Amino acid sequence: MKISARNQIKGTIKSVTKGQTTSHIQLEVNGTIITASITNEAVDDLNLKPGQNAYAVIKASDVMIAVD
């Protein structure tokens, strides 16, 4: 599959927690956890399960960083 997003981070799914309409997916990347919110429908379509390798795909036109 080809996508235009350049920020792709490979990791392992640690957990899939379904809510009413949205699921939270925890992806472990080199000891760091990234959490994504996606629809329950997408979780079912992709058949996401803990232990699978997956990519976090980050696509944004702007990214802001703030410091104290």
Side-chain angles (χ1 to χ4, degrees), residues 5 7 58-63:
N7 300 312
I58 303 162
K59 185 169 183 174
S61 58
D62 297 302
V63 176

Side-chain angles (χ1 to χ4, degrees), residues 1-3 8 46 57:
M1 170 178 62
K2 253 186 146 172
I3 57 174
Q8 301 175 40
L46 295 168
V57 178

Side-chain angles (χ1 to χ4, degrees), residues 20-62:
Q20 292 270 30
T21 58
T22 305
S23 293
H24 292 110
I25 311 302
Q26 289 193 329
L27 188 71
E28 183 176 7
V29 179
N30 297 327
T32 299
I33 298 293
I34 296 174
T35 303
S37 296
I38 65 174
T39 64
N40 290 337
E41 182 179 6
V43 170
D44 295 339
D45 288 348
L46 295 168
N47 197 28
L48 299 180
K49 299 201 180 333
Q52 290 179 312
N53 290 328
Y55 288 86
V57 178
I58 303 162
K59 185 169 183 174
S61 58
D62 297 302

